[in-house]
Amino acid sequence: MKYYYFVLALLFSSFCSVYSQEITKRIYTTKKLKEVPVIDGVINEKAWDVVGWSSDFTQKTPDEGKPPTHQTKFKVMYDEKYLYIAIVALDDNPELIQQRLTRRDGFAGDRVNVIIDSYHDKRTAFVFTTTAAGVKGEEIATQNGDNWDDSWNPIWYTDANVNDKGWEAEMKIPFSQLRFGKAKEQIWGFNINRTIFRKQERSLWQRIPNSQSGFISEAGELHGLIDLKSQKQLEIQPFTVLKYDKYPAEAGNPFKTGKDFKINGGLDAKIGITNDLTLDLTINPDFGQVEADPGAIALDGFQIFFREQRPFFVENKNIFDYKFANGRDNLFYSRRIGRNPHRSANLQTGEFADEPANSTILGAAKFSGKTQNGWSIGVLESVTANEYAEIRQTDGDTREEIVEPLTNYFVARAQKDFNDRNSYVGGIFTATNRNLDGNFEELHKAAYTGGIDFRHNWNDRNYFIDGNIIASKVIGSKEAITATQQTLRHNFNRVDASHVNVDPDRTSLTGTGGRIEAGKSGGGNWRYNGGFIWRSPELELNDVGFLRQTDEMIQFSGIRYLWQEPKGIYRDIRANFNQFATYDFDGNFNRIQYELSGNVNWKNNWWTEVELGHKPRIFSNSFLQGGPRWRFSAENYFVLFFGSDRSKKMSFTLGYVGSAAKQNNFSFQRHVFRMNYQPFDALSVSLSTEFEKNPSKTQYVNQADYNTKTRYILGEIDNQSWSTTLRVNYSINPNMSIQFYGQPFIARGRYSNFNYVNNAVSKDLYSRVSWYNNNQILENNGNYNVDENIDGVTDYTFGKPDFSYVQFRTNLVARWEYIPGSELFFVWARGGARSGDPNNSLTRSFRNQILDKPLENTFLIKATYRFVR
């Protein structure tokens, strides 16, 4: 209790304190050009003479506030359509400049980042990057620099050149790719960041102290942009795809002949409605060159989150984000659009089906942007088609069976800045509507969510309070709503719950959730925060959002101390202490956790991360899948990661995560090795491998009826998994590259020493469960027969839960951006996924199920052409 009083006293007393460091706001005044320079990376033309140089950069890291090892200078000028920037990065040792070739947005080697807040909202910026090798990159920085999105790919022009005084870069940025208002003289936020890669040193034109909260808000200013005219964006990008699949033929299956060939086409468009707001359209989008999802197995029964990789949904995704609580919870999860069908074909003996892997996106549109007066707006509309499985019947005729209904998805998001951009209020609304047409009684007919969020910063943005509140409603048949109540995330059928119960007559559910948090995010060396999160039992987001758990209230707090100035052997250090506790809406105290962690960046650019945690109380309402609340034994865990200097040709990371529970109830070990190697500028190789062991004496298996009771059956599991990801990138030049991606994933679980729940909330493991003896349980042809009372009659059975799963995915992609914005892709994808023998080792499973079996191959050619006005 004393700890809580201390945190509260520290929090509120510090809210009244004042910390500020006066930093002069720098201004660069540009002028209109008289001649147009050639963008070739060589700054030797008189065209640049209309403006002067600006310099005097200041280190950001490692020695914040001190002069950089090598200075940088720049010029900015403009005409009616373009902004022109020249940068000279001085260096006494030009032979040491790192000219690393990568694909676009590679961000490796020596580089400069031009940061333009053309909205001048002090929260959002467009970032243009050029490396010493001439590789371009772009990002949209939001949340005052807390979020950087590299999915944005505007059309612009750049080049770089290394000489005997360092290196130079030239940029030509169309005003159509920026967003700005209608003032006679534009005033934009402006900064330039330079990275000397071999020293891991960053320097800024506008100094921003490390103790200062915020990044975009602290930029300098660009003046002198007079009478700029709105350059409404218009881009149309049609594409064509040729696809050939080759795979093992299936005897007798007319849909699995061993090869398929398809021709597809579609259209993407970007239309500037105003200079602030853009409409993105896609018709029949293709995602053929997108990297495969990593392999994963979930034994807890909850859905696995996969990141979005499809370009249409990735670009500007920050505008639609609404992370309302913690973790992955979000009102909008774009992977729902175009998902795999909810149903599989209902086949009779001897029938075969051609089933769609994903729902077809007939079309989608995004209307998004930010206005000069502080409105951030995003509207997304998408329609997916009715999907049918084609079934070849035993008599040779064919029929169609619907497996996914026509569905409309709608998302609207808005935020408004005020109080000199120190505060905002926002909202979101989503709607999912399905045309069930008398079918699909198991699906929601409609689902709606809405939310309001806010944030207020004060005292030079060092202190904050933010939060949100959301509500959801799902509508459907009695069958659909009953099924929703019984999912693990709701668990209304839990036998010991007094506050929820399954109501089979309900046709809707309405729930709420939210978060409130306050703290100190800048100024001095101390940071702290505290807050509260809740998710009501009826909250449901998973029609177009992502939600793992409901019926939960979380109290959390944290405190951090920063050593921000290099001393002795370190560059900077962070030490953190965090705590959280959870409760359910029945008043049960389910969890308490304490965590102490630290991060050190050493003087030689190596780094170390360490974490210690203690969980004295762990209860789960969902572990027994409708059974009573379950108690896990108290747990302690330890995390250690360290790595070498990332600026070297070769760097590595080693990591270990380990945990152990009392009475050896369960444990967890994760071993991590990552390596990056760039033997020469054009070639880079990265390897990441992870091995996990997660044994447990009480892994949930099944449940069965016994003497008017329910037996919750558990088992001791030997659970192991191994995955390796290899990436190889060869860049012929900044616009042409060849990339290989490969990942084997193997997971295996073997069960033994089965037991059943005796007292689910007992602190002692041996009171919590009882083990079957050899006379009570017998394996028989893949099943276990249980004679619990040993009377010679089988009381109940359950299937053998052992598993082995192997997945192998590779992609070889050749990419050529033959003109800015237009690309050719040549793709070869190879892989497969199979179940194996759990008795085999991980390596033997991979050999037997992948190396010794024929795999699926896909060959794909995709061509795009971007028409720009």
Side-chain angles (χ1 to χ4, degrees), residues 433-662:
N433 290 279
R434 296 184 175 93
N435 182 17
L436 301 183
D437 197 22
N439 205 331
F440 294 95
E441 291 298 315
E442 72 274 21
L443 298 183
H444 298 148
K445 179 178 177 59
Y448 306 102
T449 66
I452 296 173
D453 60 341
F454 70 93
R455 183 179 178 96
H456 173 57
N457 300 287
W458 70 93
N459 192 9
D460 203 21
R461 293 183 174 85
N462 289 327
Y463 301 94
F464 74 93
I465 181 169
D466 67 11
N468 57 63
I469 183 170
I470 67 168
S472 69
K473 183 169 186 175
V474 292
I475 302 168
S477 65
K478 294 179 180 180
E479 293 84 355
I481 300 303
T482 298
T484 300
Q485 295 175 75
Q486 293 176 329
T487 58
L488 276 181
R489 61 184 173 275
H490 296 284
N491 217 21
F492 281 18
N493 52 329
R494 205 179 90 215
V495 297
D496 60 346
S498 60
H499 63 304
V500 292
N501 63 281
V502 176
D503 183 348
D505 294 322
R506 296 191 65 170
T507 56
S508 68
L509 291 174
T510 303
T512 65
R515 177 183 58 84
I516 183 73
E517 181 180 358
K520 181 174 183 286
S521 57
N525 295 322
W526 288 99
R527 308 284 188 273
Y528 42 81
N529 69 303
F532 180 74
I533 294 169
W534 81 95
R535 306 178 186 90
S536 77
E538 293 190 2
L539 182 67
E540 176 55 46
L541 307 179
N542 283 338
D543 289 273
V544 72
F546 189 90
L547 177 69
R548 277 179 58 92
Q549 186 71 54
T550 64
D551 193 11
E552 189 171 47
M553 295 179 284
I554 304 174
Q555 167 273 321
F556 63 92
S557 62
I559 188 168
R560 179 170 55 171
Y561 188 82
L562 309 176
W563 289 263
Q564 302 179 83
E565 297 181 4
K567 290 183 181 179
I569 61 173
Y570 69 84
R571 297 176 65 153
D572 59 82
I573 303 175
R574 289 175 292 167
N576 311 275
F577 176 75
N578 296 288
Q579 167 274 337
F580 75 86
T582 67
Y583 303 81
D584 64 26
F585 278 67
D586 204 17
N588 294 308
F589 177 25
N590 282 339
R591 191 179 185 114
I592 183 76
Q593 179 171 325
Y594 305 98
E595 179 181 285
L596 182 65
S597 62
N599 309 74
V600 183
N601 289 314
W602 304 102
K603 214 54 176 289
N604 62 356
N605 291 326
W606 286 46
W607 56 273
T608 303
E609 296 178 359
V610 64
E611 188 175 308
L612 298 169
H614 177 51
K615 305 177 187 178
R617 186 180 184 89
I618 315 171
F619 285 83
S620 171
N621 290 346
S622 59
F623 178 73
L624 295 179
Q625 302 192 15
R629 183 165 162 258
W630 168 262
R631 181 169 193 159
F632 289 98
S633 299
E635 178 188 3
N636 296 310
Y637 64 90
F638 171 72
V639 179
L640 175 64
F641 277 74
F642 68 92
S644 64
D645 183 353
R646 296 183 178 97
S647 69
K648 302 299 184 183
K649 292 284 188 180
M650 176 176 283
S651 63
F652 70 90
T653 296
L654 285 175
Y656 172 77
V657 180
S659 75
K662 284 189 174 181

Side-chain angles (χ1 to χ4, degrees), residues 27 92 95 157 227 231-232 394 408-409 470 499 513 535 561 605 714 783 808-809 823 845:
I27 295 173
D92 295 338
E95 71 279 1
Y157 310 90
D227 291 331
Q231 302 290 326
K232 294 181 182 178
T394 54
N408 179 266
Y409 300 93
I470 67 168
H499 63 304
R535 306 178 186 90
Y561 188 82
N605 291 326
L714 314 177
N783 288 302
F808 183 59
R809 293 282 185 262
E823 298 171 310
S845 294

Side-chain angles (χ1 to χ4, degrees), residues 196-263:
I196 302 176
F197 196 68
R198 66 185 183 273
K199 293 180 174 293
Q200 291 292 283
E201 177 185 296
R202 291 175 56 209
S203 57
L204 294 172
W205 173 66
Q206 171 66 63
R207 180 189 173 194
I208 302 176
N210 290 336
S211 60
Q212 178 65 50
S213 176
F215 185 77
I216 307 301
S217 60
E218 309 310 306
E221 292 181 352
L222 179 64
H223 291 203
L225 297 164
I226 309 295
D227 291 331
L228 291 189
K229 295 181 180 179
S230 174
Q231 302 290 326
K232 294 181 182 178
Q233 190 174 9
L234 177 59
E235 299 177 10
I236 300 174
Q237 188 175 46
F239 67 84
T240 302
V241 178
L242 306 178
K243 184 179 180 182
Y244 175 72
D245 292 305
K246 191 174 186 303
Y247 50 86
E250 185 178 324
N253 188 343
F255 303 114
K256 298 291 185 181
T257 60
K259 57 185 178 181
D260 296 310
F261 179 74
K262 296 179 181 178
I263 301 177

Side-chain angles (χ1 to χ4, degrees), residues 775 787 789-795:
N775 295 322
D787 179 11
N789 57 11
I790 319 181
D791 63 357
V793 178
T794 297
D795 296 312

Side-chain angles (χ1 to χ4, degrees), residues 76-134:
V76 181
M77 58 185 186
Y78 70 101
D79 61 15
E80 291 183 354
K81 292 187 176 181
Y82 299 96
L83 188 72
Y84 298 84
I85 303 171
I87 301 172
V88 174
L90 300 172
D91 198 316
D92 295 338
N93 303 105
E95 71 279 1
L96 299 180
I97 293 171
Q98 297 293 301
Q99 303 178 67
R100 300 194 179 185
L101 278 170
T102 66
R103 286 185 58 171
R104 188 170 183 163
D105 296 331
F107 305 115
D110 284 64
R111 58 191 180 272
V112 289
N113 315 94
V114 175
I115 302 158
I116 302 174
D117 176 11
S118 56
Y119 293 115
H120 209 206
D121 66 356
K122 303 180 182 180
R123 292 180 53 215
T124 311
F126 302 96
V127 184
F128 298 86
T129 299
T130 302
T131 75

Side-chain angles (χ1 to χ4, degrees), residues 674-814:
R674 302 186 187 116
M675 180 270 293
N676 292 282
Y677 180 48
Q678 188 148 11
F680 50 92
D681 288 334
L683 179 66
S684 63
V685 180
S686 69
L687 176 71
S688 174
T689 185
E690 298 187 12
F691 174 68
E692 292 185 2
K693 294 181 66 175
N694 189 13
S696 173
K697 292 181 178 179
T698 54
Q699 174 62 47
Y700 177 83
V701 175
N702 211 327
Q703 49 188 268
D705 294 328
Y706 175 64
N707 285 347
T708 71
K709 297 181 180 179
T710 301
R711 278 283 181 250
Y712 299 96
I713 304 164
L714 314 177
E716 182 172 342
I717 185 174
D718 175 17
N719 183 17
Q720 299 183 12
S721 67
W722 168 70
S723 68
T724 293
T725 302
L726 174 66
R727 300 177 191 273
V728 181
N729 189 87
Y730 180 74
S731 297
I732 300 169
N733 58 52
N735 299 313
M736 185 180 295
S737 63
I738 300 171
Q739 187 174 45
F740 172 81
Y741 161 87
Q743 187 199 61
F745 171 79
I746 311 165
R748 186 204 66 197
R750 300 172 182 165
Y751 288 79
S752 62
N753 297 327
F754 293 96
N755 50 84
Y756 59 88
V757 176
N758 190 30
N759 179 2
V761 296
S762 174
K763 190 173 183 178
D764 178 55
L765 171 64
Y766 299 97
S767 300
R768 208 179 308 149
V769 298
S770 296
W771 273 263
Y772 297 109
N773 62 44
N774 292 334
N775 295 322
Q776 292 177 301
I777 188 168
L778 178 67
E779 182 183 357
N780 183 26
N781 293 326
N783 288 302
Y784 285 96
N785 298 329
V786 179
D787 179 11
E788 191 171 318
N789 57 11
I790 319 181
D791 63 357
V793 178
T794 297
D795 296 312
Y796 49 89
T797 64
F798 61 91
K800 189 173 183 179
D802 293 8
F803 65 86
S804 177
Y805 174 78
V806 182
Q807 175 181 289
F808 183 59
R809 293 282 185 262
T810 65
N811 290 83
L812 181 64
V813 180

